[in-house]
Amino acid sequence: MHDPLDDSSDARVRPQSVTVLGATGSIGTSTLDVLARHPDRYRIHALTACSRREALRDQCLAHRPRLAVLAHEMDAQWLRDELHAAGLDTEVRAGDTALVEVAEASEVDVVMAAIVGAAGLLPTLAAVQAGKRVLLANKEALVMSGALFMDAVQRHGAVLLPIDSEHNAIYQCLPTEHRGGLARVGVRQLLLTASGGPFLGWSSDALTHVTPEQACAHPNWSMGRKISVDSASLMNKGLELIEACWLFDARPEQIQVVVHPQSVIHSMVAYDDGSVIAQLGNPDMRTPIAYGLAWPERIAAGVEALDLFQVARLDFQSPDETAFPCLRLARQAMQSGGTAPAVLNAANEVAVEAFLNGRLGFKGIAELVEGVLDSTPVQTASELEVILQEDRQARTRAERFLERYC
Ligand code: NAD
Ligand code: MG
């Protein structure tokens, strides 16, 4: 490992080359904010986006990447013309192959995986298989392909750093070498904190008519719409429970979800000797992003110092799995193993989209996910093709559910 105190080391001499997958999103823009604070340490290889071409153009003008990728050729041609007119020599490409190529390119050191949903799986896996430092925000990729993903990390020597604030906190609270099981390093439990989202304390009945706007108005974090709805339904915590199982080699029973409305403690590790170690900070994703970029060093992230007097108090309570069944469904999917988490994730993506488009009520999200899980036999998830096929079939089942019930 490179010595952080040795100024002659490679990391100091040569700036690290970074690809940001999902650059125009909430995590992507926070990543660019941190990178721009350290031009001596990082340069940008590629920025990617789905369809927000104006936003990607502005990012290209500000950050001057070597490559930019959009989903569709028509948008790519528009961006090519815009950048050419502005005198930039950024190469613009389109499509899934280009996404994979900018993730695995030999000149890339670091890949920020910040595409939302299953769409991020292939480029994120490509970065892992190319042995990159992978900053994992795209939790859905790991939820879908856990065993295969973690196996690829080992086999290809990738450095996987969790960006999800809870997992980043746990990573910071664990000893550096924690592979081989939590018991080996004296860990009793991982305490995964949850804000509770905008509907904390609401009864199941009160949730019947909530709107996408209400669901997306998170009290502490400003995030993309999909993860905002997941936070409101507690599916986000369910996906994070699965994510934690894979990242830290834990069983679902070793993870306790703790509702902590202030979102100041980002998660904790409880040890056999009675110690509980927590990581605290303002709710700002630039902290875990900066941690992932610089690890094992620390760099400025533009985040204000935590003012404990202003925080004043920290509250804790247990989650309400009756009003918010998604957490239970995710735990059960992890316990079922195999392709069940991929099916859960696919059904949830369809359900959230339908909720955001006004096709499905909020409580329908859990009903749809449960319906799809119940009607899908679990397969072994050791091959990518099987996972992708289960993902597709779960989406078809979810669509059928929508047609039948909505
Ligand atoms: P977002 O919706 O704000 O941004 C998503 C990005 O992915 C955009 O750049 C978009 O262009 C791109 N994208 C979407 N669909 C795509 C497709 N089909 N092909 C290629 N690119 C596509 O989402 P976000 O809030 O930044 O979240 C990104 C990921 O990080 C999610 O997996 C989320 O769970 C995770 N995460 C986010 C936060 C947060 O604070 N926002 C915190 C923890 C984890
Ligand atoms: Mg999180």
Side-chain angles (χ1 to χ4, degrees), residues 21-28 48-52 71 96 99 113-117 119 137-140 163-165 221-227 236 240 285:
L21 301 171
T24 52
S26 164
I27 294 288
T48 86
C50 186
S51 54
R52 293 185 53 210
D96 293 343
L99 268 188
I115 290 176
V116 59
N138 179 207
K139 65 191 88 186
E140 296 92 345
I163 297 304
D164 218 343
S165 58
W221 299 94
S222 150
M223 308 181 287
R225 282 167 78 77
K226 193 263 177 182
I227 185 177
N236 184 49
E240 290 185 355
M285 289 306 292

Coordinates of all heavy atoms in Angstrom, one line a residue, residues 21-28 48-52 71 96 99 113-117 119 137-140 163-165 221-227 236 240 285, ligand 1:
L21 N -19.2 7.8 -13.6 CA -20.4 7.2 -14.3 C -21.6 7.8 -13.6 O -21.7 7.7 -12.4 CB -20.4 5.7 -14.1 CG -19.2 4.9 -14.6 CD1 -19.3 3.4 -14.1 CD2 -19.2 4.9 -16.1
G22 N -22.5 8.4 -14.3 CA -23.6 9.1 -13.7 C -23.2 10.5 -13.2 O -23.6 10.9 -12.1
A23 N -22.5 11.2 -14.1 CA -21.9 12.5 -13.6 C -22.9 13.5 -13.3 O -22.7 14.4 -12.5 CB -20.9 13.0 -14.6
T24 N -24.1 13.5 -14.0 CA -25.0 14.6 -13.9 C -26.0 14.4 -12.7 O -26.8 15.2 -12.5 CB -25.9 14.7 -15.2 OG1 -26.4 13.4 -15.5 CG2 -25.1 15.2 -16.4
G25 N -25.9 13.2 -12.0 CA -26.8 13.0 -10.9 C -26.3 13.7 -9.6 O -25.3 14.4 -9.6
S26 N -27.0 13.4 -8.6 CA -26.7 14.0 -7.3 C -25.3 13.6 -6.8 O -24.5 14.4 -6.4 CB -27.8 13.5 -6.3 OG -27.4 13.7 -5.0
I27 N -25.0 12.3 -6.8 CA -23.7 11.8 -6.4 C -22.6 12.3 -7.4 O -21.5 12.8 -7.0 CB -23.6 10.3 -6.3 CG1 -24.5 9.8 -5.2 CG2 -22.2 9.8 -6.2 CD1 -24.0 10.1 -3.8
G28 N -22.9 12.3 -8.7 CA -22.0 12.7 -9.8 C -21.6 14.2 -9.6 O -20.4 14.5 -9.6
T48 N -20.1 10.6 -17.8 CA -21.2 9.9 -18.5 C -22.6 10.4 -17.9 O -22.7 10.7 -16.7 CB -21.2 8.4 -18.4 OG1 -21.8 7.9 -17.2 CG2 -19.7 7.9 -18.5
A49 N -23.6 10.4 -18.8 CA -25.0 10.7 -18.4 C -25.9 9.9 -19.3 O -25.5 9.4 -20.3 CB -25.2 12.2 -18.5
C50 N -27.2 9.8 -18.8 CA -28.2 9.1 -19.6 C -28.7 10.1 -20.7 O -28.3 9.9 -21.9 CB -29.3 8.7 -18.7 SG -30.5 7.6 -19.6
S51 N -29.4 11.1 -20.4 CA -30.1 11.9 -21.4 C -29.9 13.4 -21.2 O -30.3 14.2 -22.0 CB -31.5 11.5 -21.5 OG -32.1 11.7 -20.3
R52 N -29.4 13.8 -20.0 CA -29.4 15.2 -19.7 C -28.1 15.9 -20.4 O -27.1 16.1 -19.8 CB -29.3 15.4 -18.2 CG -30.6 15.0 -17.5 CD -30.7 15.3 -16.0 NE -30.3 16.7 -15.8 CZ -29.7 17.1 -14.7 NH1 -29.4 16.3 -13.8 NH2 -29.5 18.4 -14.5
A71 N -26.4 8.2 -23.5 CA -27.0 6.9 -23.9 C -27.3 6.8 -25.4 O -27.2 5.7 -26.0 CB -28.3 6.7 -23.0
D96 N -24.1 1.6 -24.4 CA -23.6 0.8 -23.3 C -22.1 0.4 -23.5 O -21.4 0.3 -22.5 CB -24.5 -0.4 -23.2 CG -25.9 -0.1 -22.8 OD1 -26.1 1.1 -22.3 OD2 -26.8 -0.9 -23.0
L99 N -19.9 3.0 -22.3 CA -19.9 3.1 -20.8 C -18.9 2.1 -20.2 O -18.2 2.5 -19.3 CB -21.3 2.8 -20.3 CG -22.3 3.8 -20.1 CD1 -23.5 3.2 -19.4 CD2 -21.8 5.0 -19.3
A113 N -18.9 4.9 -9.4 CA -20.0 4.2 -9.9 C -21.3 4.9 -9.4 O -21.7 4.5 -8.3 CB -20.0 2.7 -9.5
A114 N -21.8 5.8 -10.1 CA -22.9 6.6 -9.6 C -24.1 6.7 -10.5 O -24.9 7.6 -10.5 CB -22.5 8.0 -9.2
I115 N -24.2 5.6 -11.4 CA -25.5 5.5 -12.2 C -26.5 4.9 -11.2 O -26.2 4.1 -10.3 CB -25.2 4.5 -13.4 CG1 -24.3 5.2 -14.4 CG2 -26.5 4.1 -14.0 CD1 -23.9 4.4 -15.6
V116 N -27.8 5.3 -11.4 CA -28.8 4.7 -10.5 C -29.4 3.5 -11.1 O -29.6 3.4 -12.4 CB -29.9 5.8 -10.3 CG1 -30.6 6.3 -11.5 CG2 -30.9 5.3 -9.3
G117 N -29.6 2.5 -10.3 CA -30.3 1.3 -10.7 C -29.5 0.2 -11.5 O -28.2 0.4 -11.6
A119 N -29.0 -0.3 -14.4 CA -28.3 0.2 -15.6 C -26.8 0.4 -15.3 O -25.9 0.4 -16.2 CB -28.8 1.5 -16.1
A137 N -21.3 3.9 -5.3 CA -22.6 4.5 -4.9 C -23.8 3.7 -5.3 O -24.8 3.5 -4.7 CB -22.7 5.9 -5.4
N138 N -23.6 3.1 -6.5 CA -24.7 2.3 -7.2 C -24.9 1.0 -6.5 O -24.5 -0.1 -6.9 CB -24.2 2.1 -8.7 CG -25.1 1.3 -9.5 OD1 -24.7 0.6 -10.5 ND2 -26.4 1.3 -9.2
K139 N -25.7 1.1 -5.4 CA -25.9 -0.1 -4.5 C -26.6 -1.2 -5.2 O -26.5 -2.3 -5.0 CB -26.6 0.3 -3.2 CG -28.0 0.9 -3.4 CD -28.5 1.5 -2.1 CE -28.2 3.0 -2.1 NZ -28.5 3.6 -0.8
E140 N -27.5 -0.8 -6.2 CA -28.3 -1.8 -6.9 C -27.4 -2.8 -7.6 O -27.8 -4.0 -7.7 CB -29.3 -1.1 -7.9 CG -30.3 -0.2 -7.3 CD -29.9 1.3 -7.2 OE1 -28.6 1.6 -7.3 OE2 -30.7 2.2 -6.9
I163 N -19.4 4.2 -0.9 CA -19.8 5.6 -0.9 C -21.1 5.8 -0.1 O -21.3 6.9 0.4 CB -19.8 6.2 -2.3 CG1 -18.4 6.0 -3.0 CG2 -20.3 7.6 -2.3 CD1 -17.3 6.7 -2.2
D164 N -22.0 4.9 -0.2 CA -23.2 5.0 0.6 C -22.8 5.4 2.0 O -21.9 4.8 2.6 CB -23.9 3.6 0.6 CG -25.4 3.7 0.5 OD1 -25.9 4.8 0.8 OD2 -26.1 2.7 0.2
S165 N -23.4 6.5 2.5 CA -22.9 7.1 3.8 C -22.8 6.1 4.9 O -21.8 6.1 5.7 CB -23.7 8.3 4.2 OG -25.1 7.9 4.4
W221 N -31.4 14.8 3.4 CA -30.5 14.6 2.3 C -31.2 15.1 1.0 O -32.4 14.9 0.8 CB -30.2 13.1 2.1 CG -29.5 12.4 3.2 CD1 -30.1 11.7 4.2 CD2 -28.1 12.3 3.4 NE1 -29.1 11.2 5.0 CE2 -27.9 11.5 4.6 CE3 -26.9 12.8 2.8 CZ2 -26.6 11.2 5.1 CZ3 -25.7 12.5 3.3 CH2 -25.5 11.7 4.4
S222 N -30.4 15.6 0.1 CA -30.9 16.0 -1.2 C -30.4 15.0 -2.2 O -29.2 14.8 -2.4 CB -30.4 17.4 -1.6 OG -30.3 17.6 -2.9
M223 N -31.3 14.2 -2.8 CA -30.8 13.0 -3.6 C -31.7 12.9 -4.9 O -32.7 13.6 -5.0 CB -31.0 11.7 -2.8 CG -30.4 11.8 -1.4 SD -30.6 10.3 -0.5 CE -32.4 10.3 0.0
G224 N -31.3 11.9 -5.7 CA -32.1 11.6 -6.9 C -33.4 11.1 -6.5 O -33.6 10.7 -5.4
R225 N -34.4 11.1 -7.5 CA -35.8 10.8 -7.1 C -36.0 9.3 -6.8 O -36.7 9.0 -5.9 CB -36.7 11.1 -8.3 CG -37.0 12.6 -8.3 CD -37.6 13.1 -9.6 NE -39.1 12.8 -9.7 CZ -40.0 13.5 -9.1 NH1 -39.7 14.5 -8.3 NH2 -41.3 13.2 -9.3
K226 N -35.2 8.4 -7.4 CA -35.4 7.0 -7.2 C -35.0 6.7 -5.7 O -35.7 6.1 -5.0 CB -34.6 6.2 -8.2 CG -35.0 4.7 -8.2 CD -34.0 3.8 -7.4 CE -34.4 2.4 -7.3 NZ -33.5 1.6 -6.5
I227 N -33.8 7.1 -5.3 CA -33.4 6.8 -4.0 C -34.2 7.6 -2.9 O -34.4 7.1 -1.8 CB -31.8 7.1 -3.8 CG1 -31.4 6.6 -2.4 CG2 -31.4 8.5 -4.1 CD1 -29.9 6.7 -2.1
N236 N -34.8 1.6 0.6 CA -33.4 2.0 0.6 C -32.6 1.3 1.7 O -31.5 0.8 1.5 CB -33.2 3.5 0.7 CG -31.8 3.9 0.6 OD1 -31.1 3.5 -0.3 ND2 -31.3 4.7 1.6
E240 N -29.7 -1.4 1.5 CA -28.5 -1.2 2.2 C -28.1 -2.4 3.1 O -26.9 -2.6 3.4 CB -28.6 0.1 3.0 CG -28.6 1.3 2.1 CD -28.5 2.6 2.8 OE1 -28.6 2.7 4.0 OE2 -28.5 3.7 2.1
M285 N -22.9 14.2 1.1 CA -22.2 13.0 0.5 C -20.8 13.3 0.1 O -20.1 12.4 -0.3 CB -23.1 12.6 -0.7 CG -24.4 11.9 -0.3 SD -24.2 10.5 0.8 CE -23.3 9.3 -0.2
Ligands
NAD1 P1 -29.6 10.6 -9.8 O1 -30.9 10.1 -10.3 O2 -29.4 11.9 -9.2 O3 -28.4 10.4 -10.9 C1 -28.3 9.2 -11.6 C2 -27.2 9.3 -12.7 O4 -27.3 8.1 -13.5 C3 -27.5 10.4 -13.7 O5 -26.2 10.9 -14.1 C4 -28.1 9.7 -14.9 O6 -27.9 10.4 -16.1 C5 -27.4 8.4 -14.9 N1 -28.3 7.3 -15.4 C6 -29.6 7.0 -15.1 N2 -30.0 6.0 -15.8 C7 -29.0 5.7 -16.7 C8 -28.9 4.7 -17.8 N3 -30.0 3.9 -18.1 N4 -27.8 4.6 -18.4 C9 -26.7 5.5 -18.1 N5 -26.8 6.4 -17.1 C10 -27.9 6.5 -16.4 O7 -29.2 9.5 -8.7 P2 -28.3 9.7 -7.4 O8 -29.1 10.1 -6.3 O9 -27.0 10.4 -7.7 O10 -27.9 8.2 -7.1 C11 -26.9 7.4 -7.8 C12 -26.6 6.1 -7.1 O11 -26.0 6.4 -5.9 C13 -27.9 5.3 -6.8 O12 -27.6 3.9 -6.9 C14 -28.1 5.6 -5.3 O13 -28.8 4.6 -4.7 C15 -26.7 5.8 -4.8 N6 -26.7 6.7 -3.6 C16 -27.1 8.0 -3.7 C17 -27.0 8.8 -2.6 C18 -27.4 10.3 -2.7 O14 -27.2 11.0 -1.7 N7 -27.9 10.8 -3.8 C19 -26.5 8.3 -1.4 C20 -26.1 7.0 -1.3 C21 -26.2 6.2 -2.5

